[in-house]
Amino acid sequence: MTSRDHNEKTQQEQYEDQQFLRGFNEIKNHESEMAGTKGEIGQAYKRLKDLGWSKKDIEFAKTLEDKDVGQVIADFERKIRVARLFGHQLGRQLELLDKDRTPQEDRAYEEGLAAGKLRKSATNPYQPGSKEFNRWQEGFAEGTKFINADLSKAVADAGAGD
């Protein structure tokens, strides 16, 4: 009976070693990519902070994008209830949640405007030919025009005149 040399590895061991080394390199590459992405995210936060926007503003925007309107309203109602418990001014004065009296055509325009600004799909949710459909399209076009505009030159020119 021959015994194998202590330096000799079975095919299974060789395979496992090979997979470990491949996985190790893959993990290192992904970590490097993540570090770069985190740096880019940090730079975006800094640019927004310099303009007066906070991380909380970004987080709030994400919740508005991720949640349906009913959940957002329920969150506000809960916060107002807590404010009332503490006798806070917010609980006495804020009537955010009154019924939305915005005409449907105006609401459609605002929805289209937001979709254009956020570069969302141009899928109009309204019936083709309806006033709402047309207003949504107008809003979408205006939002797309806004987000594609290069406003940095106008801001720089305005700052130069100070």
Side-chain angles (χ1 to χ4, degrees):
M1 184 162 127
T2 62
S3 65
R4 67 183 176 118
D5 185 355
H6 73 282
N7 290 328
E8 188 179 315
K9 292 188 176 189
T10 66
Q11 282 188 317
Q12 178 65 32
E13 290 171 327
Q14 289 177 10
Y15 172 79
E16 291 170 359
D17 289 354
Q18 177 193 50
Q19 294 307 305
F20 174 82
L21 293 171
R22 284 182 179 171
F24 175 75
N25 285 324
E26 187 177 344
I27 289 168
K28 280 183 20 180
N29 288 336
H30 287 307
E31 287 175 343
S32 177
E33 291 170 6
M34 282 184 357
T37 300
K38 286 181 181 182
E40 291 171 9
I41 291 170
Q43 290 171 357
Y45 274 121
K46 180 169 181 351
R47 281 192 309 273
L48 292 173
K49 182 180 178 185
D50 291 347
L51 294 171
W53 298 103
S54 70
K55 283 187 178 183
K56 283 195 175 266
D57 295 329
I58 300 300
E59 294 304 317
F60 179 62
K62 287 178 185 178
T63 64
L64 290 177
E65 198 171 52
D66 294 341
K67 294 181 183 177
D68 66 47
V69 69
Q71 182 62 49
V72 173
I73 289 172
D75 290 349
F76 272 109
E77 287 174 335
R78 190 180 69 253
K79 288 177 182 179
I80 291 169
R81 181 178 177 192
V82 170
R84 285 186 183 131
L85 286 171
F86 282 83
H88 193 277
Q89 176 182 349
L90 177 69
R92 293 188 306 274
Q93 294 182 355
L94 190 59
E95 293 299 328
L96 280 177
L97 306 174
D98 284 345
K99 184 176 167 127
D100 186 358
R101 294 184 180 93
T102 306
Q104 184 62 34
E105 292 173 35
D106 293 345
R107 196 173 320 150
Y109 175 83
E110 291 172 7
E111 291 169 1
L113 183 67
K117 286 180 176 179
L118 293 170
R119 298 187 189 279
K120 291 193 174 188
S121 169
T123 306
N124 189 325
Y126 296 97
Q127 182 68 34
S130 68
K131 290 179 182 179
E132 291 86 358
F133 181 91
N134 294 335
R135 291 291 287 157
W136 191 95
Q137 288 299 128
E138 290 171 21
F140 186 82
E142 190 66 30
T144 301
K145 180 181 171 183
F146 170 82
I147 203 63
N148 289 334
D150 182 6
L151 300 175
S152 59
K153 181 174 178 358
V155 171
D157 290 348
D162 288 342

